Amino acid sequence: MVQDLLIALIAVVAAGVVYMMAAARIIKQYERGVVLRLGRLRDDVRGPGFTMVLPVVDRLRKVNMQIVTMPVPSQDGITRDNVTVRVDAVIYFKVVDAASAVVRVEDYRFAVSQMAQTSLRSIIGKSDLDDLLSNREKLNEGLEIMIDSPAVGWGVQIDRVEIKDVSLPETMKRSMARQAEADRERRARVINADAELQASKKLAEAASQMSAQPAALQLRLLQTMVAVAAEKNSTLVLPFPVELLRFLERAQLGQAPDRGTPQVAPGTGQEPGSPAPAGREPAPPASAGQEPAPPASAGQEPGSPAPAGQEPGSAGQEPASAGQEPRSPEQPTAPGPDTEESDDLGAWRHFAQH
């Protein structure tokens, strides 16, 4: 009898141990347990620690309450300014309602991943390339709102969304590099122009100070010569004032009107005292008290007698009136072609002598 009771006790204890092993569950600190009894959701969500369920009746599902880091696959899209880009992101989320995450959505991780991909494509199409590159904070906030709106009903809270990388085509990269280079060059030119403006103001002040003391300009010239000569150069360049050249030019132009016209002997076209040209005898000087020979009339050779009925000294002209003096040999005759050429030659000779 005692032996039967002992066997029965051992069997009960063994059955209890098996039941305990089948019903016992351990829930970790970062997990929550959702119990479904005969397919119905139990209102109480099991906390961390040791808990018991009915082995055949209850089903326990553990839900991780930690923040999950999920990378969003790269998405190809066209921005609002028609630029093809490839964008990938990362999303941080966690479960705040374990029962809703188990009951309302089949797989909350897959659902959040698909929602993040579609939202990222939508953000790419609504944004410009400059916003994707420089204004990511605003895009991250918009992307977080777009994903968080449906995820609230799943018991999931979107903690943060970050755009990780933006890949551009090679042609667009080269275009942006040229644009950046042009912008840098523009800034450099503006800085150089500003420096030139400031330097010109300082030079103007220095020039005004040197103009008050002419010796300062000479000292500055000597300092420049010393600075150039210190480098042991074989050639020394000295500045030559342009005003001196202009002064010499004005002096040369102003001397021409002051020169007088050279005297030309009458009838010869030559200066007095100049040698007679070849083939022409020099004219004899007029004696004192002797009147000069009248010029020959048109069509009459020199030295031929006057025609009949015409007085000497007239060629179809009336004699000189009373009180009119005869023409002196010093007075020049009317200019002719030979006279003009001789005048030019005499002027050049006078210019050469002076």
Side-chain angles (χ1 to χ4, degrees), residues 183-212:
D183 185 60
R184 292 291 181 181
E185 185 176 358
R186 178 184 63 85
R187 293 181 184 179
R189 290 184 179 180
V190 170
I191 293 174
N192 290 335
D194 190 11
E196 291 292 337
L197 178 60
Q198 295 179 7
S200 63
K201 292 181 180 179
K202 296 299 182 180
L203 289 175
E205 294 177 3
S208 63
Q209 293 293 333
M210 290 183 179
S211 62

mmCIF file of all heavy atoms in Angstrom, residues 183-212:
data_model
loop_
_atom_site.group_PDB
_atom_site.id
_atom_site.type_symbol
_atom_site.label_atom_id
_atom_site.label_comp_id
_atom_site.label_asym_id
_atom_site.label_seq_id
_atom_site.Cartn_x
_atom_site.Cartn_y
_atom_site.Cartn_z
ATOM 1 N N ASP A 183 32.197 79.788 -59.495
ATOM 2 C CA ASP A 183 31.822 80.602 -58.343
ATOM 3 C C ASP A 183 33.054 80.995 -57.540
ATOM 4 O O ASP A 183 33.167 82.150 -57.086
ATOM 5 C CB ASP A 183 30.831 79.827 -57.480
ATOM 6 C CG ASP A 183 30.302 80.659 -56.327
ATOM 7 O OD1 ASP A 183 29.689 81.702 -56.580
ATOM 8 O OD2 ASP A 183 30.524 80.269 -55.160
ATOM 9 N N ARG A 184 33.990 80.053 -57.363
ATOM 10 C CA ARG A 184 35.223 80.381 -56.656
ATOM 11 C C ARG A 184 36.030 81.424 -57.409
ATOM 12 O O ARG A 184 36.618 82.338 -56.812
ATOM 13 C CB ARG A 184 36.061 79.114 -56.470
ATOM 14 C CG ARG A 184 35.439 78.099 -55.521
ATOM 15 C CD ARG A 184 35.439 78.596 -54.098
ATOM 16 N NE ARG A 184 34.875 77.612 -53.176
ATOM 17 C CZ ARG A 184 34.737 77.804 -51.883
ATOM 18 N NH1 ARG A 184 35.104 78.951 -51.346
ATOM 19 N NH2 ARG A 184 34.217 76.860 -51.118
ATOM 20 N N GLU A 185 36.083 81.311 -58.728
ATOM 21 C CA GLU A 185 36.815 82.290 -59.530
ATOM 22 C C GLU A 185 36.171 83.668 -59.440
ATOM 23 O O GLU A 185 36.860 84.689 -59.376
ATOM 24 C CB GLU A 185 36.860 81.815 -60.984
ATOM 25 C CG GLU A 185 37.714 82.701 -61.888
ATOM 26 C CD GLU A 185 37.803 82.155 -63.292
ATOM 27 O OE1 GLU A 185 37.227 81.072 -63.548
ATOM 28 O OE2 GLU A 185 38.440 82.799 -64.136
ATOM 29 N N ARG A 186 34.822 83.687 -59.430
ATOM 30 C CA ARG A 186 34.135 84.977 -59.283
ATOM 31 C C ARG A 186 34.473 85.620 -57.939
ATOM 32 O O ARG A 186 34.753 86.824 -57.866
ATOM 33 C CB ARG A 186 32.628 84.754 -59.393
ATOM 34 C CG ARG A 186 31.803 86.027 -59.212
ATOM 35 C CD ARG A 186 30.325 85.703 -59.249
ATOM 36 N NE ARG A 186 29.955 84.829 -58.160
ATOM 37 C CZ ARG A 186 29.654 85.250 -56.927
ATOM 38 N NH1 ARG A 186 29.720 86.545 -56.636
ATOM 39 N NH2 ARG A 186 29.307 84.392 -55.994
ATOM 40 N N ARG A 187 34.485 84.834 -56.889
ATOM 41 C CA ARG A 187 34.831 85.385 -55.576
ATOM 42 C C ARG A 187 36.273 85.881 -55.555
ATOM 43 O O ARG A 187 36.567 86.934 -54.966
ATOM 44 C CB ARG A 187 34.639 84.310 -54.508
ATOM 45 C CG ARG A 187 33.179 83.899 -54.296
ATOM 46 C CD ARG A 187 33.077 82.840 -53.209
ATOM 47 N NE ARG A 187 31.705 82.362 -53.056
ATOM 48 C CZ ARG A 187 31.345 81.420 -52.199
ATOM 49 N NH1 ARG A 187 32.248 80.852 -51.411
ATOM 50 N NH2 ARG A 187 30.075 81.036 -52.114
ATOM 51 N N ALA A 188 37.166 85.135 -56.202
ATOM 52 C CA ALA A 188 38.564 85.566 -56.237
ATOM 53 C C ALA A 188 38.714 86.890 -56.978
ATOM 54 O O ALA A 188 39.472 87.775 -56.544
ATOM 55 C CB ALA A 188 39.425 84.487 -56.890
ATOM 56 N N ARG A 189 37.981 87.038 -58.087
ATOM 57 C CA ARG A 189 38.067 88.303 -58.833
ATOM 58 C C ARG A 189 37.504 89.459 -58.017
ATOM 59 O O ARG A 189 38.040 90.583 -58.054
ATOM 60 C CB ARG A 189 37.311 88.165 -60.154
ATOM 61 C CG ARG A 189 37.997 87.241 -61.157
ATOM 62 C CD ARG A 189 37.258 87.216 -62.473
ATOM 63 N NE ARG A 189 37.927 86.357 -63.436
ATOM 64 C CZ ARG A 189 37.490 86.154 -64.676
ATOM 65 N NH1 ARG A 189 36.378 86.749 -65.093
ATOM 66 N NH2 ARG A 189 38.156 85.361 -65.489
ATOM 67 N N VAL A 190 36.424 89.222 -57.303
ATOM 68 C CA VAL A 190 35.853 90.285 -56.473
ATOM 69 C C VAL A 190 36.827 90.681 -55.376
ATOM 70 O O VAL A 190 37.020 91.871 -55.080
ATOM 71 C CB VAL A 190 34.501 89.819 -55.884
ATOM 72 C CG1 VAL A 190 34.004 90.799 -54.841
ATOM 73 C CG2 VAL A 190 33.467 89.674 -56.978
ATOM 74 N N ILE A 191 37.486 89.697 -54.778
ATOM 75 C CA ILE A 191 38.456 90.001 -53.733
ATOM 76 C C ILE A 191 39.643 90.776 -54.306
ATOM 77 O O ILE A 191 40.131 91.745 -53.702
ATOM 78 C CB ILE A 191 38.907 88.697 -53.060
ATOM 79 C CG1 ILE A 191 37.740 88.063 -52.293
ATOM 80 C CG2 ILE A 191 40.073 88.960 -52.107
ATOM 81 C CD1 ILE A 191 38.056 86.694 -51.724
ATOM 82 N N ASN A 192 40.122 90.370 -55.493
ATOM 83 C CA ASN A 192 41.225 91.096 -56.125
ATOM 84 C C ASN A 192 40.834 92.520 -56.482
ATOM 85 O O ASN A 192 41.624 93.456 -56.306
ATOM 86 C CB ASN A 192 41.680 90.349 -57.379
ATOM 87 C CG ASN A 192 42.383 89.049 -57.055
ATOM 88 O OD1 ASN A 192 42.943 88.890 -55.991
ATOM 89 N ND2 ASN A 192 42.342 88.095 -57.974
ATOM 90 N N ALA A 193 39.604 92.693 -56.981
ATOM 91 C CA ALA A 193 39.144 94.044 -57.309
ATOM 92 C C ALA A 193 39.050 94.911 -56.055
ATOM 93 O O ALA A 193 39.408 96.101 -56.071
ATOM 94 C CB ALA A 193 37.790 93.973 -58.019
ATOM 95 N N ASP A 194 38.559 94.339 -54.965
ATOM 96 C CA ASP A 194 38.491 95.080 -53.714
ATOM 97 C C ASP A 194 39.881 95.456 -53.235
ATOM 98 O O ASP A 194 40.117 96.579 -52.751
ATOM 99 C CB ASP A 194 37.765 94.232 -52.667
ATOM 100 C CG ASP A 194 37.433 95.025 -51.421
ATOM 101 O OD1 ASP A 194 37.568 96.265 -51.455
ATOM 102 O OD2 ASP A 194 37.031 94.409 -50.406
ATOM 103 N N ALA A 195 40.836 94.533 -53.383
ATOM 104 C CA ALA A 195 42.207 94.845 -52.992
ATOM 105 C C ALA A 195 42.800 95.953 -53.861
ATOM 106 O O ALA A 195 43.504 96.845 -53.352
ATOM 107 C CB ALA A 195 43.068 93.581 -53.085
ATOM 108 N N GLU A 196 42.513 95.904 -55.164
ATOM 109 C CA GLU A 196 42.995 96.965 -56.056
ATOM 110 C C GLU A 196 42.397 98.318 -55.686
ATOM 111 O O GLU A 196 43.072 99.352 -55.733
ATOM 112 C CB GLU A 196 42.657 96.617 -57.503
ATOM 113 C CG GLU A 196 43.439 95.437 -58.068
ATOM 114 C CD GLU A 196 44.916 95.758 -58.230
ATOM 115 O OE1 GLU A 196 45.249 96.959 -58.331
ATOM 116 O OE2 GLU A 196 45.720 94.826 -58.254
ATOM 117 N N LEU A 197 41.107 98.319 -55.306
ATOM 118 C CA LEU A 197 40.460 99.572 -54.903
ATOM 119 C C LEU A 197 41.114 100.139 -53.646
ATOM 120 O O LEU A 197 41.427 101.339 -53.578
ATOM 121 C CB LEU A 197 38.971 99.323 -54.668
ATOM 122 C CG LEU A 197 38.148 100.524 -54.186
ATOM 123 C CD1 LEU A 197 38.204 101.657 -55.199
ATOM 124 C CD2 LEU A 197 36.715 100.117 -53.917
ATOM 125 N N GLN A 198 41.349 99.314 -52.665
ATOM 126 C CA GLN A 198 41.992 99.788 -51.453
ATOM 127 C C GLN A 198 43.418 100.251 -51.730
ATOM 128 O O GLN A 198 43.870 101.278 -51.197
ATOM 129 C CB GLN A 198 41.988 98.671 -50.407
ATOM 130 C CG GLN A 198 40.596 98.270 -49.942
ATOM 131 C CD GLN A 198 40.637 97.142 -48.931
ATOM 132 O OE1 GLN A 198 41.707 96.741 -48.473
ATOM 133 N NE2 GLN A 198 39.470 96.621 -48.568
ATOM 134 N N ALA A 199 44.135 99.505 -52.585
ATOM 135 C CA ALA A 199 45.501 99.910 -52.927
ATOM 136 C C ALA A 199 45.525 101.234 -53.684
ATOM 137 O O ALA A 199 46.409 102.072 -53.464
ATOM 138 C CB ALA A 199 46.184 98.815 -53.748
ATOM 139 N N SER A 200 44.556 101.431 -54.582
ATOM 140 C CA SER A 200 44.510 102.696 -55.325
ATOM 141 C C SER A 200 44.253 103.879 -54.399
ATOM 142 O O SER A 200 44.827 104.956 -54.584
ATOM 143 C CB SER A 200 43.420 102.613 -56.396
ATOM 144 O OG SER A 200 42.136 102.444 -55.795
ATOM 145 N N LYS A 201 43.408 103.673 -53.385
ATOM 146 C CA LYS A 201 43.167 104.758 -52.424
ATOM 147 C C LYS A 201 44.448 105.092 -51.657
ATOM 148 O O LYS A 201 44.792 106.268 -51.471
ATOM 149 C CB LYS A 201 42.063 104.353 -51.461
ATOM 150 C CG LYS A 201 40.686 104.249 -52.113
ATOM 151 C CD LYS A 201 39.632 103.859 -51.089
ATOM 152 C CE LYS A 201 38.245 103.754 -51.749
ATOM 153 N NZ LYS A 201 37.199 103.354 -50.767
ATOM 154 N N LYS A 202 45.161 104.060 -51.233
ATOM 155 C CA LYS A 202 46.414 104.306 -50.521
ATOM 156 C C LYS A 202 47.447 104.959 -51.423
ATOM 157 O O LYS A 202 48.193 105.852 -50.999
ATOM 158 C CB LYS A 202 46.948 102.987 -49.962
ATOM 159 C CG LYS A 202 46.055 102.346 -48.905
ATOM 160 C CD LYS A 202 45.894 103.250 -47.698
ATOM 161 C CE LYS A 202 45.032 102.591 -46.629
ATOM 162 N NZ LYS A 202 44.855 103.466 -45.440
ATOM 163 N N LEU A 203 47.507 104.525 -52.692
ATOM 164 C CA LEU A 203 48.451 105.145 -53.629
ATOM 165 C C LEU A 203 48.100 106.601 -53.897
ATOM 166 O O LEU A 203 48.985 107.436 -54.068
ATOM 167 C CB LEU A 203 48.469 104.345 -54.938
ATOM 168 C CG LEU A 203 49.132 102.961 -54.878
ATOM 169 C CD1 LEU A 203 48.972 102.246 -56.201
ATOM 170 C CD2 LEU A 203 50.602 103.085 -54.515
ATOM 171 N N ALA A 204 46.790 106.898 -53.962
ATOM 172 C CA ALA A 204 46.383 108.291 -54.156
ATOM 173 C C ALA A 204 46.808 109.148 -52.968
ATOM 174 O O ALA A 204 47.286 110.276 -53.133
ATOM 175 C CB ALA A 204 44.866 108.361 -54.359
ATOM 176 N N GLU A 205 46.656 108.614 -51.756
ATOM 177 C CA GLU A 205 47.104 109.356 -50.588
ATOM 178 C C GLU A 205 48.621 109.558 -50.606
ATOM 179 O O GLU A 205 49.128 110.636 -50.283
ATOM 180 C CB GLU A 205 46.686 108.610 -49.316
ATOM 181 C CG GLU A 205 45.169 108.549 -49.119
ATOM 182 C CD GLU A 205 44.790 107.748 -47.882
ATOM 183 O OE1 GLU A 205 45.737 107.304 -47.179
ATOM 184 O OE2 GLU A 205 43.589 107.591 -47.610
ATOM 185 N N ALA A 206 49.342 108.495 -51.012
ATOM 186 C CA ALA A 206 50.799 108.622 -51.087
ATOM 187 C C ALA A 206 51.218 109.640 -52.154
ATOM 188 O O ALA A 206 52.171 110.407 -51.956
ATOM 189 C CB ALA A 206 51.421 107.257 -51.374
ATOM 190 N N ALA A 207 50.506 109.632 -53.289
ATOM 191 C CA ALA A 207 50.833 110.596 -54.352
ATOM 192 C C ALA A 207 50.582 112.028 -53.896
ATOM 193 O O ALA A 207 51.356 112.941 -54.224
ATOM 194 C CB ALA A 207 50.013 110.274 -55.597
ATOM 195 N N SER A 208 49.491 112.237 -53.161
ATOM 196 C CA SER A 208 49.221 113.589 -52.655
ATOM 197 C C SER A 208 50.283 114.036 -51.665
ATOM 198 O O SER A 208 50.678 115.215 -51.633
ATOM 199 C CB SER A 208 47.837 113.617 -52.000
ATOM 200 O OG SER A 208 47.792 112.741 -50.878
ATOM 201 N N GLN A 209 50.808 113.128 -50.870
ATOM 202 C CA GLN A 209 51.878 113.484 -49.944
ATOM 203 C C GLN A 209 53.182 113.763 -50.692
ATOM 204 O O GLN A 209 53.915 114.695 -50.349
ATOM 205 C CB GLN A 209 52.078 112.342 -48.936
ATOM 206 C CG GLN A 209 50.908 112.133 -47.983
ATOM 207 C CD GLN A 209 50.731 113.286 -47.020
ATOM 208 O OE1 GLN A 209 51.694 113.986 -46.704
ATOM 209 N NE2 GLN A 209 49.500 113.493 -46.563
ATOM 210 N N MET A 210 53.491 112.963 -51.721
ATOM 211 C CA MET A 210 54.725 113.172 -52.469
ATOM 212 C C MET A 210 54.671 114.423 -53.329
ATOM 213 O O MET A 210 55.710 115.043 -53.606
ATOM 214 C CB MET A 210 55.014 111.958 -53.351
ATOM 215 C CG MET A 210 55.422 110.724 -52.582
ATOM 216 S SD MET A 210 55.842 109.344 -53.678
ATOM 217 C CE MET A 210 56.292 108.097 -52.463
ATOM 218 N N SER A 211 53.478 114.786 -53.799
ATOM 219 C CA SER A 211 53.378 116.002 -54.613
ATOM 220 C C SER A 211 53.717 117.247 -53.809
ATOM 221 O O SER A 211 54.204 118.236 -54.367
ATOM 222 C CB SER A 211 51.969 116.115 -55.189
ATOM 223 O OG SER A 211 51.003 116.225 -54.144
ATOM 224 N N ALA A 212 53.501 117.219 -52.510
ATOM 225 C CA ALA A 212 53.854 118.366 -51.685
ATOM 226 C C ALA A 212 55.372 118.490 -51.533
ATOM 227 O O ALA A 212 55.902 119.597 -51.391
ATOM 228 C CB ALA A 212 53.185 118.253 -50.306
#
